[in-house]
Amino acid sequence: MEGDEPASRGDCVHVGRSPVGVATSGMRSALLQRSATLCRMAVQHAELGTEIEVGELEGHQRRILATVVRFPFRDPEKTRLRS
């Protein structure tokens, strides 16, 4: 997510003007050094790299720009170094 403000539980997820999902949790990630949000959203908009907006149902002033990415805490390809 852009900026340091995390999304709140229940915030709408939008692509353009249409709502496509809802945020289930949001926090500041110590591992990623940025805000992260988990959300449920329509499958057709869940492609990696899709730009979305997370924010309140009313108005555009509180929407936060975000991008759909792979779940960063899991490493199925085993590419991250371990101690």
Side-chain angles (χ1 to χ4, degrees):
M1 295 185 64
E2 301 287 324
D4 289 331
E5 184 180 356
S8 300
R9 182 175 180 241
D11 283 351
C12 289
V13 177
H14 300 269
V15 172
R17 295 188 56 84
S18 59
V20 296
V22 63
T24 58
S25 65
M27 65 187 158
R28 174 91 175 137
S29 171
L31 177 67
L32 301 175
Q33 297 297 314
R34 62 185 331 164
S35 293
T37 299
L38 297 177
C39 63
R40 291 180 303 186
M41 57 189 294
V43 176
Q44 60 267 30
H45 299 290
E47 296 278 333
L48 294 178
T50 302
E51 292 187 6
I52 59 174
E53 295 176 331
V54 181
E56 298 296 323
L57 184 62
E58 302 296 326
H60 293 283
Q61 65 271 20
R62 284 241 320 115
R63 290 193 184 171
I64 304 166
L65 296 176
T67 305
V68 176
V69 296
R70 184 181 309 259
F71 194 67
F73 309 111
R74 208 170 142 252
D75 188 20
E77 289 89 23
K78 308 286 189 240
T79 58
R80 273 190 258 167
L81 294 176
R82 296 176 75 173
S83 58

